[in-house]
Amino acid sequence: MDAATDSAAGAEEVPPLPVRMLNEYTYCPRLGYLMWVQGEFMDSADTVDGRFQHRRVDQEKKRRISRRAPVDDGPVTIHARSVSLASDRLGLVAKIDLVEGECNRVTPVDYKRGKRPHIPKGAWEPEMVQLCAQGLILRDNGFECGEGVLYFAASRERVPVVFDGALIARTLELVDLMRKAAREGVVPPPLVDSPKCPRCALVSICLPDEVTFLQSQAHEPRPLFPSRDDALPFYVQHQGARVRKDGDVLKIMERDELLAEGRLREISQLVLFGGVQVSTGVIQELCKRGIPMTYLSGGGWFYGVTHGMSHKNVELRRHQYRTATDASRSLVLARRFVQAKIANCRTLLRRNASTVPEDVLDDLKGDMRRAGEAPTMETLLGVEGNSAQRYFSWFSSMLANGMGFAFEHRNRRPPKDPVNALLSLAYAMLAREWTTTLLAVGFDPYLGFYHQPRYGRPALALDLMEEFRPLIGDSAVITAINNEEIRRRDFIETLGAVALTPVGRSRFIEVYERRMSQEITHPVFGYTISYRRVLEVQARLLGRHLAGEIPEYPSFTTR
């Protein structure tokens, strides 16, 4: 069986392969797989500039390739832009930037954003393979096509590429390899210490250095760039306010008065407290841009989220469902979540409560050991409950004296004192943060490994937030009280329930957001990264673990 026949056989089992994805696969097999099979995509400066360079091609009037006989003495000239063609025989589909030629002899022209590389062949292999695949599609549609042209926009140069036997064989070989990878559902391994990775738009999704490090401890990971997100949550808690869209700006209105506004490209999610109205135009725009909209009650209870179509990465959810139904694998993950949570509670006490007896810290260390050895989920729940009681019995020792805040034990639904009101709001905001992060990565946030499924409860979000409760939630509460950013007058009490006033909630949100944007040194990889980005990295590492790429889920614990 020759390569072309082999390609045709594979075409029956997987959808037609876009030739632009063949370009990505040639550059890096893992990148091509992530983009085509798992539907991952993230914009970078290069991708935005690439779309800009193609705008003329896409905006030109589309024309079908003429196959009419000449009506005068001259040959028929072909000059057609944005031509979509497919080859059933090869299982390929392409959108060709430009097809030019005469009569039945045509040349595909592919536009590239950069300058012509000064290398012997005049172009890199991925671009040549993509162009050759376009030529093969044209041949299968009845045209004569012996070469193509790469047009480099930055240097305005045309580089001819001859479709010789070696290039055709290499193109068909890569088509078969990519189709085989998709058919088998195995993500190709990451490149090792490759100079391609830092410029790759998907580096924060692929995590090549991190996966390689966790597999073999070889090659210290290079820092992720950027280390923090440029877009941030946009909070609206003014009761009766309306959110509407004006161009690329969201405006918060009360009747005709403008209360606040934010640029859409600077918003990572829209967070609504209580009775806030949103226009249909806003919902459509947020779904189109992949910006989630989350809902919290007036008291801060997280109860819903609106987002666009679910993530295309079905493979990840299959791994999640398979693991969740495996009791032993779920227990292993649950132990790691609880161990990390206890470790971070112990660290927070050690740092902020000088009066805590050493035997309490020793007991917490014993809880960590018992959590790691728990034979059943019920035993683990018991260990976690005991450690939480131990931790919260000394929580008040981390609060500065003289602030008027007392804390005896954890209570909720409703919280009966200011400190518990702050803790409940902090945990609700953290659950919201994890839910949107898991949705963005492609997980089902409602199916966990430790927390059991229950109607409306984001169990996986609760699993993963365990180790971050003390680091983000509790730490924000302690900071808000000890720095006097929150005072007793920022609370109201009704029928034994305590809640924050709107002003107090705004102040606490500021403290919480500062904590999320704070950059820290990652305990495993050693580079600096914000807490908000840590959540995404941890979610993606969990996915790599479930897919079998790394042996263990690396918990996040600080010293």
Side-chain angles (χ1 to χ4, degrees), residues 401-465:
N401 292 325
M403 301 299 173
F405 289 96
F407 180 85
E408 294 181 0
H409 57 84
R410 181 80 179 104
N411 58 64
R412 53 185 183 153
R413 296 180 186 176
K416 296 179 175 54
D417 59 77
V419 177
N420 273 298
L422 287 172
L423 287 171
S424 293
L425 179 58
Y427 296 156
M429 293 176 69
L430 194 52
R432 171 187 57 80
E433 205 84 51
W434 265 111
T435 300
T436 55
T437 300
L438 292 169
L439 285 170
V441 170
F443 279 107
D444 178 349
Y446 294 96
L447 183 62
F449 308 110
Y450 179 45
H451 292 83
Q452 297 306 301
R454 203 169 67 192
Y455 179 76
R457 185 169 74 166
L460 185 59
L462 298 177
D463 282 358
L464 285 163
M465 71 179 271

Side-chain angles (χ1 to χ4, degrees), residues 66-128:
S66 172
R67 301 180 70 96
R68 293 177 299 173
V71 296
D72 52 25
D73 295 338
V76 173
T77 300
I78 295 173
H79 191 86
R81 295 182 182 274
S82 296
V83 179
S84 295
L85 283 178
S87 166
D88 293 336
R89 185 180 71 89
L90 297 174
L92 292 174
V93 62
K95 184 177 181 182
I96 306 174
D97 290 338
L98 173 64
V99 177
E100 56 186 16
E102 291 182 352
C103 296
N104 211 42
R105 182 169 296 175
V106 296
T107 300
V109 181
D110 198 41
Y111 282 60
K112 298 301 174 190
R113 53 175 289 276
K115 295 181 179 179
R116 176 179 68 87
H118 293 280
I119 55 178
K121 293 185 178 180
W124 300 107
E125 186 185 38
E127 284 75 29
M128 296 173 67

Side-chain angles (χ1 to χ4, degrees), residues 220-237:
E220 186 174 339
R222 290 164 288 190
L224 279 178
F225 183 82
S227 59
R228 58 196 301 172
D229 292 319
D230 294 328
L232 296 172
F234 190 39
Y235 294 89
V236 185
Q237 60 165 336

Side-chain angles (χ1 to χ4, degrees), residues 495-508:
L495 299 175
V498 176
L500 280 155
T501 62
V503 173
R505 190 162 57 212
S506 294
R507 289 175 180 161
F508 183 72

